Amino acid sequence: MNALAEGFLVFPDSPGGAMLFRQFSCTRAQFVTHASGRPWLAGHWEEGALTVAQAGSVRVAVSGLCPVSPERLAVLAGRIEKLSDADSLARALPGSVHLIVSVGGRVRVQGTVTGTRAVFTTALHGVSIAGDRADVLAALTRAEPDDELLAAKIAGPQFLTPLTERSWWRGVRRVAPDSYLALGGDTGAEVVRWWTAPEPNLPLAEGIPAVREALHTAVAARRPARGLLSADLSGGMDSTSLCFLAADHDADLLLFRWTDGTAINDDPAYAERAAGLLHRARQLELRSADIPRVFSPPYALPDTEAPASLVRGVHARWQSARLLAAEGSTVHLSGHGGDELFSGDAAYLWSLFRRDPIRALARLRAHRVLGRWPLLASVRGILASETFDAWWRRCADGLVDPSDTDAPVSWGPAPAATPWASSYAVGTCAGIYREVAVGIAPLADDRGQHAALSMLRSAASQYRQLCRNYAAAGLRWETPLVDDRVVEAVLAIRTSDRFDPWRFKPVLAEAMSGVAPDFILNRYTKGDYDGSVEADLRHHVRDLLELFSDSALASRGLIDGDRLREFLLRPPRGEYGAHLAALERTLGGELWLRAIEDRKTDSCWCLPSELEY
């Protein structure tokens, strides 16, 4: 494998770890040692992206943009005597980071609580190591891709946590976001849960100050050491709020926005109004006509960690990133994660009904009117006592016999399988759903809290992929809205205050009052891009047919090529848009398999060999 733009491996403080370090030796990577002198961290990282501190025999490393100096980190490291002592450090760090601790011959490795920064582990010659890239560990161990998980992604609509938190490579394991990995010499690895979401007990007014402070800190943490800070200005509440926060911290700000909209996509109009208030910021404007169409060739995604879920706009993202980098931007802010964190899910009504039935029924009526929910399904959903494991089993059954009458008060819908998935893929997916159901528990007792955590953790892998898309152009892509401290502050607020049928994103609107303009915070519309996406897809049907004429998915028995061709050429009336996400998952899986084949000719990850210990 070629040298990574960024990534690291973690070795235990042991003879076995030192042996593995020697086995994969090369002079091109950077490295850091344990206090013992044995190799600890190795990989490739940008200047300023790794902060290391030592206090006696304790070493602490923070990977990512974090406004904590080595001196301050050394003071915090001095309070650590065992791995669990690092809990307080992990709860205090701002930004979005990996935390790696070496103490007493043991190592702790963890990412973010949403999974935007992930940890993976595998064993070589009986010695466990860790890293932030599953495909790197897979290359070292010659692991094969997990075809069964791929079948579940292609065939099944419910690709949520915990499925999103599995490694795509056999023999490589993903550490849950709420846990850390403990490496204990040559004795193996242990996963330890250290984080739980706060109980959602705070009224809105009491929780807002902490959210506001966390947002300010998250944006301030992104000030680049060199180059410009840039930010998306979409006109939506999430990205626009970040732009106004960034303008408070950085006078040399570059705004990126689209200039053309439609009657159903009024985002650019709001962005233009907001841009007029950001007088000191410079703007980079782009028209949709100046970028490649959605789903346009060439079809290639070199990232091999996992199949991409956001394929449709990959060329637009690459072009945007290159333009921003050419303007001098080194760090770019995005509002991704705001929908998952602030929009919420009406499933909170189920739990609210059990605490305050009168209020819950009033809310349910409002949701029904606004969302056009069927009455019978809404009532049945709020009264149902279906457990989470039973819902997963119903999802397995629903692949063949779907239920389309569920209201969002339930754990979720149980829609049908992808129309062009093979019978093998559908059967495999159903089996995986049933495996998931065994012993599974919700992420929180409050169903609204569970839904929020599930959405955040399920979207995290997409955000990691987007980060690497931008990194290919030399740009660090950052999502401050899903920083650990921001997420914790929001999740502490009552779910019935966070999710309001009469108000859009009330928590963010209150937190940004006085920072972002009222016409943004009071906005009740959201840009609709589905029409343009469908039109662009129709324009590239022939290109997609050519791609899938020699399909890697079909050769593995995961899709029926004839049914996919029939869908692309003659989509069922009214169902074209409904299956866009399934088509995108299929395309992502196809390009992933092809990228893996291309990678096999270059599978050595290089580490330094000049270290004596």
Side-chain angles (χ1 to χ4, degrees):
M1 180 177 296
N2 289 327
L4 296 175
E6 187 171 356
F8 60 81
L9 295 177
V10 184
F11 296 89
D13 189 2
S14 67
M19 177 272 294
L20 292 182
F21 181 83
R22 282 194 299 268
Q23 182 174 341
F24 303 101
S25 62
C26 171
T27 60
R28 291 181 293 173
Q30 300 153 278
F31 61 87
V32 180
T33 65
H34 292 281
S36 66
R38 293 191 179 109
W40 179 30
L41 309 176
H44 309 271
W45 47 83
E46 296 177 2
E47 182 180 355
L50 185 74
T51 303
V52 180
Q54 182 170 352
S57 61
V58 177
R59 287 202 168 182
V60 175
V62 174
S63 175
L65 292 182
C66 179
V68 176
S69 68
E71 294 76 19
R72 175 58 181 163
L73 196 59
V75 172
L76 297 173
R79 302 172 184 174
I80 297 174
E81 296 181 356
K82 56 185 182 298
L83 292 187
S84 60
D85 292 341
D87 286 6
S88 57
L89 172 58
R91 290 191 175 96
L93 288 174
S96 172
V97 299
H98 282 96
L99 173 64
I100 310 109
V101 177
S102 174
V103 53
R106 305 192 73 207
V107 177
R108 169 172 173 160
V109 193
Q110 68 187 70
T112 56
V113 299
T114 59
T116 51
R117 287 180 176 267
V119 174
F120 301 89
T121 183
T122 191
L124 286 160
H125 308 300
V127 179
S128 294
I129 61 173
D132 64 337
R133 291 284 300 267
D135 49 350
V136 170
L137 294 176
L140 296 179
T141 58
R142 303 185 184 277
E144 291 296 322
D146 189 336
D147 278 2
E148 292 183 356
L149 192 59
L150 185 57
K153 187 169 181 92
I154 298 299
Q158 300 293 5
F159 204 80
L160 307 171
T161 182
L163 293 180
T164 54
E165 293 169 4
R166 292 189 182 183
S167 164
W168 284 89
W169 298 90
R170 298 187 182 279
V172 178
R173 183 171 47 143
R174 167 96 182 266
V175 178
D178 56 12
S179 302
Y180 65 79
L181 182 74
L183 299 176
D186 292 334
T187 61
E190 178 187 7
V191 175
V192 180
R193 186 178 182 187
W194 74 277
W195 185 86
T196 55
E199 288 297 323
N201 295 327
L202 291 180
L204 182 65
E206 291 184 24
I208 287 302
V211 175
R212 184 182 294 119
E213 180 181 358
L215 287 169
H216 277 280
T217 301
V219 173
R222 266 61 181 203
R223 296 187 68 177
R226 58 178 180 80
L228 299 178
L229 176 69
S230 61
D232 286 331
L233 179 58
S234 72
M237 191 187 298
D238 304 324
S239 70
T240 308
S241 295
L242 291 180
C243 288
F244 279 89
L245 283 170
D248 283 346
H249 293 284
D250 197 325
D252 198 11
L253 177 66
L254 177 62
L255 303 176
F256 178 74
R257 68 184 183 91
W258 304 97
T259 58
D260 49 344
T262 65
I264 61 173
N265 178 19
D266 53 355
D267 277 357
Y270 279 91
E272 185 175 4
R273 288 183 65 186
L277 301 177
L278 294 164
H279 305 292
R280 296 187 301 170
R282 197 156 54 89
Q283 296 186 46
L284 176 62
E285 301 175 0
L286 199 62
R287 299 181 306 155
S288 297
D290 295 331
I291 63 168
R293 286 178 180 264
V294 169
F295 291 112
S296 62
Y299 299 116
L301 290 172
D303 191 338
T304 56
E305 182 184 278
S309 298
L310 298 174
V311 178
R312 63 179 68 176
V314 64
H315 296 308
R317 290 194 294 273
W318 283 340
Q319 182 167 323
S320 302
R322 287 194 294 267
L323 289 172
L324 287 164
E327 291 290 328
S329 173
T330 56
V331 177
H332 184 72
L333 303 184
S334 169
H336 281 72
D339 287 343
E340 291 83 358
L341 184 60
F342 296 112
S343 289
D345 188 299
Y348 80 93
L349 290 171
W350 190 92
S351 296
L352 180 62
F353 180 72
R354 280 140 186 84
R355 297 192 302 267
D356 188 344
I358 295 176
R359 187 182 180 202
L361 290 174
R363 287 284 186 95
L364 178 63
R365 183 176 183 275
H367 280 291
R368 277 194 57 241
V369 172
L370 296 173
R372 299 180 180 179
W373 297 356
L375 175 61
L376 183 60
S378 301
V379 173
R380 185 172 62 241
I382 206 167
L383 293 175
S385 58
E386 182 179 44
T387 59
F388 194 36
D389 58 333
W391 176 77
W392 272 102
R393 287 192 292 271
R394 183 159 63 88
C395 285
D397 297 336
L399 291 172
V400 178
D401 184 18
S403 167
D404 58 0
T405 58
D406 279 352
V409 179
S410 175
W411 295 108
T418 301
W420 51 86
S422 68
S423 58
Y424 163 76
V426 173
T428 301
C429 182
I432 287 180
Y433 283 3
R434 292 189 179 98
E435 289 176 8
V436 166
V438 177
I440 195 171
L443 297 174
D445 292 334
D446 185 290
R447 192 171 289 191
Q449 190 81 321
H450 163 82
L453 286 164
S454 179
M455 288 189 291
L456 286 164
R457 288 169 59 159
S458 297
S461 59
Q462 298 177 6
Y463 298 157
R464 290 202 312 278
Q465 290 170 336
L466 285 173
C467 184
R468 293 194 291 270
N469 286 168
Y470 281 82
L475 190 61
R476 181 178 286 276
W477 186 80
E478 292 283 328
T479 53
L481 296 182
V482 288
D483 278 10
D484 287 0
R485 306 291 82 81
V486 176
V487 169
E488 288 171 339
V490 173
L491 294 183
I493 297 173
R494 293 186 303 212
T495 55
S496 55
D497 287 357
R498 283 158 33 200
F499 313 145
D500 189 331
W502 297 284
R503 192 178 182 191
F504 187 58
K505 299 183 179 179
V507 172
L508 183 59
E510 288 294 325
M512 290 296 96
S513 179
V515 178
D518 288 343
F519 66 83
I520 292 292
L521 302 181
N522 295 329
R523 184 181 173 189
Y524 59 88
T525 60
K526 185 174 177 63
D528 189 321
Y529 298 85
D530 287 349
S532 60
V533 169
E534 288 188 36
D536 284 358
L537 173 59
R538 293 177 190 275
H539 188 81
H540 290 292
V541 164
R542 294 293 174 185
D543 297 312
L544 290 167
L545 288 173
E546 182 178 351
L547 173 73
F548 284 106
S549 65
D550 183 24
S551 170
L553 290 171
S555 68
R556 290 175 181 249
L558 298 178
I559 64 171
D560 184 317
D562 291 337
R563 276 188 280 168
L564 177 57
R565 178 183 179 85
E566 179 70 16
F567 172 81
L568 290 171
L569 289 175
R570 288 174 288 277
R573 184 179 298 275
E575 294 186 20
Y576 207 39
H579 293 300
L580 276 177
L583 180 61
E584 197 164 9
R585 292 194 303 270
T586 303
L587 182 55
E590 180 72 27
L591 299 183
W592 181 62
L593 290 177
R594 295 183 181 215
I596 292 170
E597 288 302 315
D598 292 341
R599 190 197 68 177
K600 286 181 177 178
T601 60
D602 186 18
S603 58
C604 178
W605 199 60
C606 296
L607 301 177
S609 58
E610 293 86 353
L611 189 61
E612 296 295 334
Y613 42 83

